[in-house]
Amino acid sequence: MASHSQVLVEEKSSVRILTLNRPSQLNALCLDMISRLLQLFLAYEEDPSVKLVILKGQGRAFCAGGDALPLVRDIVQGKWRLAANFVTYQYTLNYVLATYSKPQVSILNGIVMGGGAGLSIHGRFRIATENTVFAMPETALGLFPDVGASYFLSRLPGFFGEYVGLTGARLDGAEMLASGLATHFVPSTRLTALEEDLCKVGTSDPSFVSTILDAYTQHPHLKQKSAYLRQVLDVIDRCFSRRTVEEILSALERETTQEPNDWISTIIGALKKASPSSLKISLRSIREGRLQGVGECLIREYRMACHVFKGEISKDFVEGCRAILIDKDRNPKWEPRRLEDMKDGMVDKYFEKVEEEEGWEDLKLLPRNNLHASAMATPKL
Amino acid sequence: MSEYRGLRRAHILANHILRSPPPSSNLSLTPEVCLQYSPPELNESYGFDIKEMRKLLDGHNLEDRDWLYGLMMQSNLFNRKEIGGKVFVSPDYNQTMEQQRQISMKRILYLLENGVFQGWLTETGPEAELNKFALYEVCGIYDYSLSAKLGVHFLLWGNAVKFFGTKRHHEKWLKDTEDYVVKGCFAMTELGHGTNVRGIETVTTYDPTTEEFVISTPCESAQKYWIGEAANHANHAIVISQLSINGTNQGVHVFIAQIRDQDGNICPNVRIADCGHKIGLNGVDNGRIWFDNLRIPRENLLNSVADVLSDGKYVSSIKDPDQRFGAFLAPLTSGRVTIASSAIYSAKLGLAVAIRYSLSRRAFSVAANGPEVLLLDYPSHQRRLLPLLAKTYAMSFAVNDLKMIYVKRTPETNKAIHVVSSGFKAVLTWHNMRTLQECREAIGGQGLKTENRVGHLKGEYDVQTTFEGDNNVLMQLVSKALFAEYVSCKKRNKPFKGLGLEHMNSPRPVLPTQLTSSTLRCSQFQKNVFCLRERDLLERFTSEVAELQGRGESREFSFLLNHQLSEDLSKAFTEKAILQTVLDAEAKLPPGSVKELLGLVRSMYALISLEEDPSLLRYGHLSRDNVGDVRREVCKLCGELRPHALALVASFGIPDAFLSPIAFNWVEANAWSSL
């Protein structure tokens, strides 16, 4: 079956290696892949012979995210509930991973975006390499960082999560390690050897896995223009801590007038290009997520996603996908057009139940025994 | 539609796997048989929408509150720690007094830089004030020292300038205060006079030759005492002093004096000493001040009510010194409002921790070899915590109501605000102290660790029963106000209007002799008992005072002798006012689970208040049988609230990081590997 070849399974004694195998689409997740992964992960959790699960991607991507085009097609045809079904399964998988009772290792040797982050960052171990490119690009698509991102972004140091979530900034492996998005950094040439060593694991005690990973890990230097350097981080913290998107923008503009600066201008540019409604709901989502458990985050994100798909307040998701993925003119016409036109009351709507929609319910999460999502690794500053 | 097939497959599989029975446990000595932490969320469910409930409880500015919680959690200044896989923030009380003071100031400057205090003095109107209240409350949940320092600077110093000052003062000081260019304190209390402000001994005279006021501390009992921010940080002070013009005492007036220069050196003619280490609030630098004929410009008299002209002539728009004094103190009500609201947030914190713990900690087995019983499954433990939880809910509505009246205040509502805020401040702060003690005991030994917050909060919040008016004096003030209202209505033969006394215009309610469960839970019955109690006590109090006065005693002396009735009356008034706010909130809700729950909580509040008050039995409103019925119903309500306990504390909206390790995985938090 097609869905099976899109997720390859290798069994190596107590270890299972799952490979996302849709390289022509950068391993973007379709519903079949998600349900297959959910099936496998749930089965492995119950199977006492399985001690460790490794997740990786075929080709130059780990996973470029959820496959947005079918969703947009459904929405345009008036069937947004199908899109909602898709994220129901995606978020369920995210939740299972966040509360997984056995260690998993995600090998992020390439592109990790959106849904790909949801598949990996919730897991216990995340291995970055020199090939890793991480981003949460949703605000440029008229969406918001979902898949539990309001949980893991909000737990990054300071206000780095707001920066990553609002601007869609790309991070490399070194930055992922420094910020705690990755737990280890291993050069890609060493991955085969690492995998072989991991396959010798005969226990689900994460400290054994940790010992193996520690032997391979390196501490790469941050690039000269990295956003994770102290002086840059200070500016990010000063600006992205502000109460509203408008205040964040004006704080950034104040910083550039004091000291003209390329990278601040890039940030401002990214914010000005993004969907105003996306920016506002994303900021609120990350702020609420900071105070919530991963389950609550996913339930809230599900409400938000349904409102985005339903398109009653804004149709930016369809417009963003048109401009970036379909027509590729990279010139989306956002509506509301300006930040100030996106009123608080409109933002509030995204966080409420979808009223007057027959049969609509809040996301029901599977009951889990291990409620505590693994804490984000403490980054080394 | 392969997509649908995929969905169905995964669904069937998930169900199959999740419903299969767990593998049979073997009873050898494996780690599995050791005591494990089981999160309460696994076994407790939410029977109502906790987000809706939180909206009702917090009442306003939820997003702003969450923003501020996040600001504190993400900064290393707030002593962030990871314990048992969770992040916690709370002050490090192992620091010295000096370190605590310095870190409090640094935290304030961090919040300032992030725009938290924007508009706290320069913006007006209900919206701005509610925003300020909300952020102030959140600061107090982190650390009461932090909010007390802010309270001194913004609510005492800042509001004094705003309310007692005129345009010239506003322009000169408000913006600078908001930006912390000026750091203010409020020098009112003296060693010899606290709640009795009119008796203060600091004297200010006027020197027309230089057009200056001269402030002096004539004796040791006149030294300013407990002045927050004075020991280290403040460079300006509001000085409350008697004003003597040509030998005539014009009463209490309000001045601005600079006490430190820009470099922090104490100004000439000012002496400052430290109040020293305290039982709590050591992040606040309380100091003592003596003035040695300190000269300040004539413009530094805050002259909204009275002024001294350059030639030394005293002018005031209010001729009567009593009224003038009242006008001076009226704006300070906001202090009482914030004290009452932060007391309730403190009680919420204590209850959230104690109840979460009681849903994860077991002790003793009921049957031999049976499993140990969860603390909150003991009816006695329910009886200890759940009535306090219901009271906290009720008082939460009360203080929200008070805030709303305050921010929409008019000259007509000033009296009501004064009386109600006095009663609420006293009753709510007492309630908090009692709740914290019960919660500390309910957590057992773990409550002794400052890391777990609850025990330590007792020392931090204790001062609330004293500052901004001693609780006992405030309660007497309530009774006196009710007395005055009663006498004035009777004298003029006018119906009662205001202070919730309108029920006195109707015939006395008659209570049923038999009290069934449904009667006891009926809001009309509850209202009737509370009204009857208030009415009866008010009538007794006024007649006793009148009788003494008839025998030639002064009114004040007659009040003094009737202090027991006065105490009962002010309590009856305040409890009834609280009940009314819950009923009002309930009435606004659409039918549903939130409303139902609130009904249970309200009944618990009403019945526990009746159970705890002997005056109902003493004056024969309830019979011995009735009192027994009330007591039984309280127990029944405990059992009915028990399944909702977790949801009720989750609705407080206090983020996990602000509770404490004992509220979560306390086994892991204390494990050897967590050291």
Side-chain angles (χ1 to χ4, degrees):
Chain A
M1 276 161 74
S3 64
H4 283 204
S5 60
Q6 285 173 353
V7 179
L8 303 176
V9 181
E10 288 172 80
E11 300 195 0
K12 301 238 172 127
S13 65
S14 328
V15 179
R16 298 292 175 274
I17 304 174
L18 306 179
T19 307
L20 305 175
N21 184 32
R22 210 187 172 201
S24 60
Q25 317 265 350
L26 298 174
N27 298 325
L29 297 167
C30 62
L31 190 55
D32 274 358
M33 289 165 83
I34 288 171
S35 51
R36 176 72 178 144
L37 286 168
L38 186 57
Q39 185 183 35
L40 290 169
F41 271 104
L42 287 172
Y44 294 155
E45 200 167 37
E46 296 298 313
D47 182 348
S49 71
V50 177
K51 308 293 184 193
L52 168 71
V53 186
I54 297 174
L55 190 60
K56 58 183 190 174
Q58 189 72 263
R60 63 191 184 93
F62 169 77
C63 171
D67 195 350
L69 289 177
L71 304 188
V72 173
R73 204 177 49 227
D74 290 335
I75 294 168
V76 172
Q77 290 173 2
K79 292 189 270 183
W80 70 267
R81 295 292 292 272
L82 287 181
N85 264 328
F86 176 86
V87 292
T88 300
Y89 279 86
Q90 191 177 19
Y91 296 176
T92 302
L93 175 60
N94 299 144
Y95 186 62
V96 167
L97 294 174
T99 53
Y100 209 60
S101 59
K102 294 179 182 178
Q104 332 108 264
V105 175
S106 297
I107 299 175
L108 310 174
N109 187 27
I111 296 166
V112 188
M113 290 189 186
L119 212 51
S120 52
I121 308 299
H122 293 297
R124 181 72 181 78
F125 299 106
R126 292 90 61 186
I127 317 298
T129 74
E130 76 281 3
N131 298 321
T132 309
V133 180
F134 174 96
M136 299 302 285
E138 288 86 351
T139 58
L141 282 174
L143 193 63
F144 62 94
D146 62 340
V147 296
S150 62
Y151 181 80
F152 63 74
L153 287 180
S154 63
R155 278 155 180 80
L156 298 183
F159 297 87
F160 198 66
E162 273 94 335
Y163 160 73
V164 170
L166 295 187
T167 63
R170 293 184 169 200
L171 306 181
D172 63 19
E175 289 166 330
M176 284 186 78
L177 182 69
S179 65
L181 280 166
T183 56
H184 297 80
F185 182 97
V186 177
S188 60
T189 50
R190 305 266 287 147
L191 288 176
T192 316
L194 169 67
E195 240 179 74
E196 276 169 20
D197 268 359
L198 284 174
C199 286
K200 293 174 193 150
V201 165
T203 161
S204 278
D205 184 342
S207 60
F208 285 85
V209 182
S210 202
T211 311
I212 296 170
L213 291 172
D214 288 347
Y216 283 86
T217 201
Q218 293 190 355
H219 289 280
H221 288 295
L222 292 166
K223 280 197 204 122
Q224 245 183 351
K225 286 191 168 176
S226 170
Y228 214 79
L229 292 170
R230 189 72 257 169
Q231 64 273 27
V232 183
L233 218 45
D234 283 345
V235 176
I236 287 176
D237 277 349
R238 267 207 301 279
C239 299
F240 282 87
S241 58
R242 293 311 177 111
R243 201 182 315 208
T244 61
V245 179
E246 288 93 330
E247 285 177 47
I248 290 173
L249 254 174
S250 54
L252 285 163
E253 280 163 358
R254 266 202 307 281
E255 295 278 345
T256 44
T257 44
Q258 277 166 17
E259 200 180 332
N261 201 313
D262 275 354
W263 57 266
I264 302 184
S265 307
T266 311
I267 295 175
I268 295 174
L271 291 175
K272 291 200 164 158
K273 262 179 78 176
S275 147
S277 63
S278 288
L279 287 175
K280 287 210 171 172
I281 63 174
S282 301
L283 181 64
R284 167 92 69 98
S285 176
I286 293 168
R287 296 275 163 90
E288 282 196 20
R290 185 164 280 142
L291 312 177
Q292 294 174 325
V294 67
E296 288 170 281
C297 285
L298 287 163
I299 291 170
R300 172 176 36 72
E301 289 176 8
Y302 180 71
R303 285 189 184 186
M304 297 169 67
C306 287
H307 282 289
V308 168
F309 298 154
K310 200 177 178 204
E312 276 194 338
I313 309 145
S314 162
K315 298 188 185 350
D316 279 0
F317 178 49
V318 171
E319 172 60 13
C321 289
R322 181 205 62 74
I324 309 291
L325 303 175
I326 301 168
D327 296 348
K328 298 188 180 163
D329 59 21
R330 308 196 76 81
N331 186 23
K333 300 271 176 285
W334 303 127
E335 190 59 49
R337 199 167 56 83
R338 297 174 309 168
L339 283 169
E340 55 268 39
D341 298 331
M342 184 70 189
K343 305 278 183 223
D344 284 352
M346 294 158 76
V347 175
D348 290 343
K349 276 264 173 218
Y350 283 88
F351 295 81
E352 289 165 10
K353 292 183 179 184
V354 183
E355 300 290 354
E356 290 146 24
E357 177 67 30
E358 205 172 314
W360 185 93
E361 277 185 355
D362 268 329
L363 179 66
K364 294 260 184 305
L365 294 168
L366 299 174
R368 304 284 294 161
N369 288 325
N370 178 27
L371 276 189
H372 284 290
S374 54
M376 295 287 296
T378 312
K380 294 151 194 82
L381 282 173
Chain B
M1 300 283 293
S2 74
E3 285 165 2
Y4 278 129
R5 268 205 308 280
L7 279 175
R8 222 174 28 243
R9 234 182 8 248
H11 209 90
I12 290 166
L13 195 96
N15 278 341
H16 172 73
I17 288 165
L18 293 164
R19 279 178 196 160
S20 58
S24 62
S25 59
N26 76 40
L27 284 172
S28 66
L29 270 178
T30 59
E32 279 82 51
V33 297
C34 284
L35 207 140
Q36 299 270 320
Y37 173 81
S38 169
E41 285 83 357
L42 275 185
N43 306 310
E44 311 284 324
S45 58
Y46 293 164
F48 58 90
D49 186 343
I50 59 166
K51 282 192 161 175
E52 286 306 309
M53 193 63 102
R54 185 195 166 194
K55 269 189 211 166
L56 293 176
L57 291 177
D58 274 341
H60 56 95
N61 297 84
L62 271 69
E63 200 189 341
D64 299 314
R65 291 172 197 265
D66 287 352
W67 167 64
L68 181 50
Y69 284 130
L71 266 186
M72 300 202 261
M73 282 169 64
Q74 295 307 99
S75 161
N76 290 329
L77 280 175
F78 290 79
N79 193 33
R80 197 185 144 96
K81 275 191 203 154
E82 211 178 298
I83 304 170
K86 282 185 85 83
V87 168
F88 293 98
V89 286
S90 77
D92 177 3
Y93 295 113
N94 205 27
Q95 288 188 323
T96 64
M97 180 178 85
E98 285 308 320
Q99 287 170 324
Q100 290 186 52
R101 290 172 176 184
Q102 295 313 323
I103 192 81
S104 297
M105 199 62 224
K106 277 191 189 159
R107 286 170 186 149
I108 287 175
L109 295 177
Y110 165 78
L111 299 177
L112 172 74
E113 199 182 296
N114 276 290
V116 172
F117 313 129
Q118 213 171 300
W120 277 31
L121 288 167
T122 52
E123 282 172 28
T124 48
E127 232 172 80
E129 290 203 78
L130 287 175
N131 170 60
K132 177 169 70 178
F133 279 140
L135 297 178
Y136 186 80
E137 284 158 5
V138 169
C139 290
I141 290 171
Y142 174 73
D143 176 19
Y144 199 44
S145 279
L146 181 63
S147 77
K149 267 181 100 72
L150 293 172
V152 166
H153 182 74
F154 285 103
L155 304 179
L156 294 174
W157 155 269
N159 273 353
V161 174
K162 193 166 173 173
F163 294 132
F164 304 142
T166 50
K167 194 158 171 276
R168 65 174 188 238
H169 305 110
H170 298 167
E171 282 167 1
K172 186 166 179 190
W173 305 102
L174 291 185
K175 182 75 172 69
D176 277 356
T177 299
E178 208 171 279
D179 297 341
Y180 269 89
V181 175
V182 164
K183 292 176 191 157
C185 68
F186 187 81
M188 181 157 83
T189 298
E190 295 174 358
L191 177 60
H193 291 86
T195 305
N196 180 15
V197 178
R198 294 180 82 165
I200 58 170
E201 297 170 289
T202 300
V203 177
T204 298
T205 54
Y206 181 69
D207 179 353
T209 59
T210 58
E211 298 192 18
E212 285 173 321
F213 288 108
V214 184
I215 307 176
S216 69
T217 304
C219 50
E220 281 301 353
S221 61
Q223 63 178 279
K224 293 295 180 185
Y225 215 103
W226 293 125
I227 310 310
E229 303 269 274
N232 295 120
H233 293 131
N235 46 33
H236 285 74
I238 290 286
V239 181
I240 312 281
S241 160
Q242 306 288 351
L243 173 62
S244 174
I245 296 289
N246 302 324
T248 311
N249 184 12
Q250 298 292 352
V252 173
H253 286 69
V254 185
F255 303 87
I256 289 178
Q258 182 163 2
I259 56 170
R260 285 192 176 85
D261 64 20
Q262 280 308 318
D263 301 325
N265 304 309
I266 296 169
C267 293
N269 300 82
V270 176
R271 283 175 288 145
I272 295 180
D274 205 308
C275 288
H277 192 258
K278 307 184 291 281
I279 62 164
L281 290 186
N282 282 303
V284 182
D285 48 317
N286 292 91
R288 302 141 64 187
I289 311 176
W290 292 257
F291 299 102
D292 304 323
N293 294 322
L294 176 70
R295 288 180 165 264
I296 57 167
R298 186 179 69 92
E299 292 73 29
N300 282 16
L301 169 67
L302 296 178
N303 59 340
S304 69
V305 172
D307 206 353
V308 175
L309 305 180
S310 54
D311 61 1
K313 188 164 180 272
Y314 181 81
V315 288
S316 173
S317 51
I318 305 174
K319 289 282 165 280
D320 177 30
D322 279 349
Q323 279 183 16
R324 204 153 61 211
F325 178 73
F328 270 131
L329 292 190
L332 294 181
T333 328
S334 83
R336 270 179 231 145
V337 178
T338 53
I339 288 168
S341 76
S342 52
I344 286 310
Y345 277 101
S346 158
K348 286 176 179 172
L349 192 59
L351 286 163
V353 174
I355 287 179
R356 287 193 61 92
Y357 183 64
S358 73
L359 290 169
S360 69
R361 170 70 194 238
R362 296 170 182 274
F364 300 104
S365 313
V366 177
N369 298 325
E372 288 186 293
V373 177
L374 215 47
L375 294 185
L376 202 63
D377 284 336
Y378 285 100
S380 58
H381 210 76
Q382 294 169 11
R383 175 62 187 80
R384 287 168 68 187
L385 295 178
L386 300 183
L388 292 173
L389 178 64
K391 282 189 171 187
T392 303
Y393 259 72
M395 292 176 188
S396 192
F397 287 104
V399 80
N400 280 348
D401 203 68
L402 175 62
K403 278 192 276 182
M404 291 303 163
I405 306 171
Y406 176 78
V407 300
K408 294 178 189 159
R409 64 194 173 276
T410 61
E412 291 74 49
T413 58
N414 270 346
K415 187 171 85 182
I417 293 173
H418 185 55
V419 177
V420 173
S421 68
S422 299
F424 282 4
K425 185 265 186 185
V427 169
L428 273 54
T429 57
W430 274 328
H431 166 72
N432 177 39
M433 291 310 294
R434 185 182 156 198
T435 302
L436 290 175
Q437 180 65 29
E438 197 63 65
C439 290
R440 204 297 291 153
E441 292 178 39
I443 304 170
Q446 288 292 330
L448 303 174
K449 296 178 71 167
T450 54
E451 174 185 275
N452 289 328
R453 304 208 62 183
V454 178
H456 194 82
L457 289 176
K458 289 190 294 170
E460 297 290 302
Y461 277 84
D462 199 336
V463 66
Q464 288 199 326
T465 61
T466 297
F467 68 10
E468 297 265 339
D470 172 272
N471 276 5
N472 290 289
V473 177
L474 291 181
M475 289 302 261
Q476 286 163 11
L477 185 151
V478 170
S479 298
K480 284 181 194 170
L482 293 174
F483 173 90
E485 197 66 21
Y486 186 91
V487 169
S488 132
C489 285
K490 290 290 165 195
K491 199 187 264 172
R492 292 189 222 149
N493 207 13
K494 273 192 164 170
F496 289 93
K497 194 167 173 293
L499 294 177
L501 293 174
E502 290 81 356
H503 65 93
M504 308 268 297
N505 301 321
S506 317
R508 293 171 82 90
V510 179
L511 302 179
T513 20
Q514 303 285 332
L515 297 180
T516 63
S517 180
S518 62
T519 310
L520 287 166
R521 294 181 188 207
C522 163
S523 56
Q524 189 57 49
F525 164 79
Q526 292 160 5
K527 233 183 120 166
N528 283 349
V529 190
F530 278 63
C531 286
L532 189 62
R533 175 175 64 162
E534 177 184 66
R535 178 186 197 131
D536 182 65
L537 287 166
L538 180 51
E539 285 166 357
R540 283 174 197 276
F541 182 59
T542 46
S543 83
E544 294 279 329
V545 171
E547 198 196 310
L548 281 172
Q549 282 181 293
R551 281 193 257 141
E553 302 290 358
S554 75
R555 199 170 84 164
E556 281 305 316
F557 187 71
S558 310
F559 281 146
L560 289 188
L561 289 188
N562 280 294
H563 64 95
Q564 286 174 317
L565 265 174
S566 161
E567 196 182 309
D568 287 345
L569 170 62
S570 53
K571 191 164 153 252
F573 166 83
T574 311
E575 287 185 350
K576 200 206 82 191
I578 293 169
L579 177 67
Q580 190 57 51
T581 63
V582 190
L583 289 168
D584 292 346
E586 229 181 307
K588 284 188 207 134
L589 286 176
S593 48
V594 170
K595 191 183 182 112
E596 267 171 44
L597 237 290
L598 213 50
L600 277 187
V601 168
R602 183 249 310 147
S603 283
M604 174 65 101
Y605 169 73
L607 297 184
I608 193 68
S609 304
L610 298 182
E611 201 217 83
E612 288 174 349
D613 184 4
S615 79
L616 290 152
L617 199 57
R618 183 184 307 129
Y619 298 115
H621 302 305
L622 294 182
S623 67
R624 272 176 61 185
D625 283 349
N626 290 160
V627 172
D629 293 335
V630 169
R631 193 172 168 81
R632 265 188 300 281
E633 200 64 20
V634 165
C635 270
K636 260 174 80 181
L637 281 166
C638 280
E640 287 174 45
L641 285 174
R642 158 67 186 86
H644 303 287
L646 183 66
L648 287 167
V649 295
S651 304
F652 289 155
I654 303 175
D656 294 357
F658 291 76
L659 300 179
S660 63
I662 200 66
F664 300 93
N665 191 341
W666 41 269
V667 179
E668 197 185 326
N670 286 288
W672 180 257
S673 57
S674 297
L675 283 177

